[in-house]
Amino acid sequence: MNEFFQNSMFAGVTLSLIAYLIGVILKKKLKLGIFNPLLISIVISIGVLLIGKVDYDTYNEGAKFLSWLLTPATVCLAIPLYEQWKLLKQNYKAVLLGLLAGTVTSLTTVFVLAKLFGLSHEEYVTLLPKSITTAIGMGVSEELGGYVTITVAVIIITGVLGNMFGEQICKLFRITEPISKGLAFGASSHAIGTAKALEIGEVEGAMSSLAIAVSGIFTVVLASLFAGFM
């Protein structure tokens, strides 16, 4: 199978899309949070690569085309935000302070856990951008001297967990305000969480889209400060 992936330009893309489609079908039929399409596609893709003994570089040669769509897809999240622009202007102070608090909380949590588990400086800064979109998080990790590939994995895991359990956490703490829910999704679980926020409602999706950009900017600025703590 490794030879097949080497000879086929789009084998990696095809595997990724089919795996994601299976995840979507399972989610629609079973309606359980654990059957997140992205999580299912990751598991299926890894399984196929392991069984077929396909090395990652060979797979990535055919799958890298999907990564080109990451930044444009993130930019497109500005559309629901534009549709809720009036609501944003009315609540901009609360929005900015809430996102700042969310960013500081995320960075502080990483710092405390890194101290508890005795992580090295490189491991610590690798985890700092866990709650921002991959396009920004990779740059932050590289700039601070972290392990970029691990950062990508951590960002994906964070997003999937937010997508799976975010709504239940909001119910647990009785968070019903659409703006607050949207900001929480975007600030904690970036684009993957935003996909869930868009399912919940237009306002939630718009605020989550805003949170991705603003939290990313806050993290870029504050991560450099937190990196000096260890």
Side-chain angles (χ1 to χ4, degrees), residues 88 91-107 179-188 206-219 222:
L88 172 61
N91 300 276
Y92 74 94
K93 291 182 180 179
V95 168
L96 290 177
L97 288 175
L99 292 178
L100 179 60
T103 302
V104 171
T105 300
S106 174
L107 296 174
I179 295 178
S180 299
K181 291 168 69 175
L183 295 176
F185 272 101
S188 61
M207 293 301 109
S208 188
S209 302
L210 171 67
I212 293 175
V214 178
S215 295
I217 295 172
F218 283 156
T219 301
L222 295 176

Side-chain angles (χ1 to χ4, degrees), residues 150-218:
I150 297 178
T151 298
V152 173
V154 171
I155 289 174
I156 292 174
I157 292 171
T158 302
V160 170
L161 290 175
N163 186 293
M164 290 171 57
F165 302 113
E167 190 172 11
Q168 286 73 24
I169 292 174
C170 286
K171 289 179 179 178
L172 177 64
F173 290 96
R174 298 181 182 179
I175 301 173
T176 57
E177 169 57 47
I179 295 178
S180 299
K181 291 168 69 175
L183 295 176
F185 272 101
S188 61
S189 48
H190 49 86
I192 303 176
T194 299
K196 182 64 177 181
L198 287 166
E199 292 179 12
I200 298 173
E202 292 183 5
V203 175
E204 288 88 341
M207 293 301 109
S208 188
S209 302
L210 171 67
I212 293 175
V214 178
S215 295
I217 295 172
F218 283 156

